[in-house]
Every structure is written in C-alpha cells, then in structure tokens.
C-alpha cells in the first residue's frame, strides 16, 4: 500500500519556489550587491581628503624651515660669521684689543669626618626580644 501511495500521482512534486518568487529573490540579491558597492565607494570617497590638513601643515613647516636655512646660509657666507668664529672659537683678537682669560682657583677639599657607627640593637637584644620583633613587628612589651 505504501508503494502504491508513492507511485501514484496523488503526491506530485511541486517546485520549491515559483517564478515570481525567484525573480523577487534575484532582485533582492542584486540590490544588496549594489548597496555594498555604493557603500565601499562612499568610504573610499571619504578617505580621499583625510591627510590633506596634515600635509598642508607639513608644507608650511618646511617653508618656514627653508626661510630659516636661507637666512643661516647668508649669515655663514658673510664676514660677520668669519669674525665671530675667529673671536669665539679660534681665540683670535683684533689689533689693539687685550685678551682676558679668567682663571679658576680650585680650593683643596677638606676631608669629611666619618660619623660614628650606629650600634646594632639586635646584638644587644635578648633572643626572645629578637624573635618578638621578627614575629610581630610591634614594640617590645614592657616588664
């Protein structure tokens, strides 16, 4: 009887999804793909100008540094730098000037007195007092 039930046309196989359901599913999948692509493009567009302000600040710092280096180059190639270097680093003087060299007088250090050694209370304590101190961290009991 069971064989006849399955062999007969009483239980027909129906498709899992109908044609309109398949079309609707394809439209939903396509919309998800398009939404993901648009989101990726929007994130890429937001990241385009993120480093612009940092680069602008770096360009301004480098322009300031270039001006400072040009001023330093002008000073170093001039006569003022040569005269300043000769006077301060080279130890040279102009005619008619006197060189003044300060001399340091070093005082002889006095020997420091050694402090008297502090007595060790553990050497003068009785054994029970040393154990009491180790075990309790409290002052010794008065007698």
């Amino acid at each position: 009887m069971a064989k006849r039930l399955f062999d007969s046309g009483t239980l027909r196989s129906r498709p899992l999804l109908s044609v309109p359901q398949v079309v609707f599913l394809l439209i939903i999948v396509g919309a998800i793909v398009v939404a993901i692509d648009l989101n990726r493009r929007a994130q890429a567009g937001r990241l385009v100008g993120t480093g612009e302000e940092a680069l602008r600040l770096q360009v301004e710092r480098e322009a300031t540094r270039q001006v400072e280096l040009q001023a330093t180059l002008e000073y170093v190639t001039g006569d003022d730098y040569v005269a300043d270097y000769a006077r301060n680093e080279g130890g040279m003087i102009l005619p008619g000037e006197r060189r003044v060299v300060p001399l340091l007088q070093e005082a002889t250090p006095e020997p420091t007195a050694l402090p008297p050694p502090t007595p060790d209370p553990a050497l003068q304590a009785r054994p029970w007092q040393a154990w009491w101190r180790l075990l309790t961290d409290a002052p010794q009991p008065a007698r």
Side-chain angles (χ1 to χ4, degrees), residues 47-95:
L47 294 177
V48 168
T50 55
E52 183 179 354
E53 185 64 29
L55 287 175
R56 187 184 351 255
L57 291 174
Q58 185 177 1
V59 167
E60 290 176 6
R61 281 194 306 261
E62 293 300 325
T64 304
R65 183 171 176 250
Q66 181 182 10
V67 170
E68 291 172 355
L69 288 174
Q70 286 175 347
T72 303
L73 179 64
E74 290 174 10
Y75 171 69
V76 168
T77 56
D79 293 335
D80 292 337
Y81 175 74
V82 174
D84 190 39
Y85 179 81
R87 187 177 297 249
N88 294 332
E89 301 292 328
M92 299 180 163
I93 57 173
L94 292 174

Side-chain angles (χ1 to χ4, degrees), residues 14-30:
R14 287 185 11 196
L16 186 62
L17 296 173
S18 65
V19 173
Q21 290 175 336
V22 170
V23 170
F24 183 71
L25 185 64
L26 289 175
I27 290 173
I28 294 295
V29 168

